[in-house]
Coordinates of all heavy atoms in Angstrom, one line a residue:
S167 N 5.3 56.0 20.1 CA 6.1 56.7 19.0 C 7.6 56.3 19.1 O 8.1 56.3 20.2 CB 5.9 58.2 19.1 OG 6.8 58.8 18.0
L168 N 8.2 55.9 18.0 CA 9.6 55.5 18.0 C 10.5 56.7 17.6 O 11.7 56.5 17.4 CB 9.8 54.3 17.0 CG 9.1 53.1 17.4 CD1 9.4 52.0 16.4 CD2 9.4 52.6 18.8
G169 N 9.8 57.8 17.3 CA 10.6 59.0 16.9 C 11.1 58.8 15.4 O 10.6 58.0 14.7
D170 N 12.1 59.7 15.1 CA 12.6 59.6 13.7 C 14.2 59.6 13.7 O 14.8 59.5 14.8 CB 12.0 60.6 12.8 CG 12.4 62.0 13.4 OD1 13.2 62.3 14.2 OD2 11.6 63.0 12.9
D171 N 14.7 59.9 12.6 CA 16.2 59.9 12.4 C 16.8 61.0 13.3 O 18.1 60.9 13.6 CB 16.6 60.0 11.0 CG 16.3 58.8 10.3 OD1 16.1 57.7 10.8 OD2 16.3 58.8 9.0
N172 N 16.0 62.0 13.7 CA 16.6 63.2 14.4 C 16.8 62.8 15.9 O 17.7 63.2 16.6 CB 15.7 64.4 14.2 CG 15.8 64.9 12.8 OD1 16.8 64.9 12.2 ND2 14.6 65.3 12.3
C173 N 15.7 62.1 16.5 CA 15.7 61.9 17.9 C 16.0 60.4 18.3 O 16.4 60.2 19.5 CB 14.4 62.3 18.5 SG 12.9 61.7 17.8
R174 N 15.8 59.4 17.4 CA 16.0 58.1 17.8 C 17.5 57.8 18.2 O 17.6 56.9 19.1 CB 15.5 57.1 16.7 CG 15.3 55.7 17.3 CD 14.9 54.7 16.1 NE 13.6 55.1 15.5 CZ 13.2 54.3 14.6 NH1 13.8 53.3 14.1 NH2 12.0 54.6 14.1
P175 N 18.5 58.3 17.5 CA 19.8 58.0 17.9 C 20.1 58.1 19.4 O 20.8 57.4 20.0 CB 20.7 58.8 17.0 CG 19.8 59.1 15.8 CD 18.4 59.1 16.3
A176 N 19.6 59.2 20.0 CA 19.9 59.5 21.4 C 19.2 58.4 22.3 O 19.9 57.9 23.2 CB 19.4 60.9 21.8
V225 N 11.2 55.8 25.5 CA 11.5 56.5 24.1 C 10.8 57.6 24.1 O 11.2 58.6 23.3 CB 11.1 55.4 23.0 CG1 9.7 55.1 23.0 CG2 11.5 56.0 21.6
L226 N 9.6 57.9 24.7 CA 8.9 59.0 24.6 C 9.5 60.2 25.2 O 9.2 61.4 24.9 CB 7.4 58.9 25.2 CG 6.6 57.8 24.7 CD1 5.3 57.7 25.4 CD2 6.3 58.1 23.2
E227 N 10.5 60.0 26.1 CA 11.3 61.1 26.7 C 12.3 61.7 25.9 O 13.0 62.8 26.1 CB 11.8 60.7 28.1 CG 10.8 60.3 29.1 CD 11.3 59.7 30.4 OE1 12.7 59.5 30.4 OE2 10.6 59.3 31.3
F228 N 12.6 61.0 24.7 CA 13.7 61.4 23.8 C 13.2 62.0 22.5 O 13.9 62.4 21.7 CB 14.6 60.2 23.5 CG 15.3 59.7 24.7 CD1 14.7 58.8 25.6 CD2 16.7 60.0 24.7 CE1 15.5 58.3 26.7 CE2 17.4 59.5 25.9 CZ 16.8 58.7 26.8
L229 N 11.8 62.1 22.3 CA 11.2 62.6 21.1 C 11.6 64.1 20.9 O 11.5 64.9 21.8 CB 9.7 62.5 21.2 CG 9.1 61.0 21.2 CD1 7.6 61.1 21.2 CD2 9.6 60.1 20.1
C230 N 11.9 64.4 19.6 CA 12.1 65.8 19.3 C 10.7 66.4 19.2 O 9.7 65.8 19.2 CB 12.9 65.7 17.9 SG 12.0 65.1 16.5
E231 N 10.8 67.7 19.1 CA 9.5 68.4 19.1 C 8.6 68.1 17.9 O 7.3 67.9 18.2 CB 9.8 70.0 19.0 CG 8.6 70.9 19.2 CD 7.8 70.4 20.5 OE1 8.4 70.1 21.5 OE2 6.5 70.4 20.4
P232 N 9.0 67.9 16.7 CA 8.0 67.6 15.6 C 7.5 66.1 15.9 O 6.3 65.9 15.7 CB 8.9 67.5 14.4 CG 10.0 68.4 14.6 CD 10.4 68.3 16.1
C233 N 8.3 65.2 16.4 CA 7.7 63.9 16.7 C 6.8 63.9 17.9 O 5.7 63.2 17.9 CB 8.9 62.9 16.9 SG 9.8 62.4 15.5
R234 N 7.1 64.7 18.8 CA 6.3 64.9 20.1 C 4.9 65.5 19.6 O 3.9 65.1 20.1 CB 6.9 65.7 21.1 CG 6.1 65.8 22.4 CD 6.9 66.6 23.5 NE 8.3 66.2 23.7 CZ 8.7 65.2 24.3 NH1 7.8 64.4 25.0 NH2 10.0 64.9 24.4
A235 N 5.0 66.5 18.8 CA 3.8 67.2 18.3 C 2.9 66.1 17.6 O 1.6 66.2 17.7 CB 4.1 68.4 17.4
H236 N 3.5 65.4 16.7 CA 2.8 64.4 15.9 C 2.1 63.4 16.8 O 0.9 63.1 16.6 CB 3.8 63.7 15.0 CG 3.2 62.7 14.0 ND1 2.7 61.4 14.3 CD2 2.8 62.8 12.7 CE1 2.3 60.8 13.3 NE2 2.3 61.5 12.3
F237 N 2.8 62.9 17.8 CA 2.2 61.9 18.7 C 1.1 62.5 19.6 O 0.0 61.9 19.8 CB 3.3 61.4 19.6 CG 2.9 60.1 20.3 CD1 2.3 59.0 19.7 CD2 3.0 60.0 21.8 CE1 1.9 57.8 20.5 CE2 2.7 58.9 22.5 CZ 2.1 57.8 21.7
T238 N 1.2 63.8 20.0 CA 0.3 64.5 20.8 C -1.0 64.7 19.9 O -2.1 64.5 20.4 CB 0.8 65.8 21.2 OG1 1.9 65.5 22.1 CG2 -0.3 66.6 22.0
R266 N 8.1 57.0 14.0 CA 7.1 57.6 14.6 C 6.1 56.6 15.1 O 6.3 55.7 15.9 CB 6.5 58.8 13.9 CG 7.5 60.0 13.7 CD 6.8 61.2 13.1 NE 7.7 62.4 13.1 CZ 7.4 63.5 12.6 NH1 6.3 63.7 12.0 NH2 8.3 64.6 12.5

Side-chain angles (χ1 to χ4, degrees):
S167 176
L168 298 180
D170 60 15
D171 291 344
N172 294 318
C173 55
R174 193 186 300 180
V225 64
L226 298 177
E227 296 176 357
F228 292 80
L229 296 182
C230 60
E231 187 52 38
C233 288
R234 189 180 306 279
H236 185 281
F237 192 54
T238 299
R266 291 189 174 177

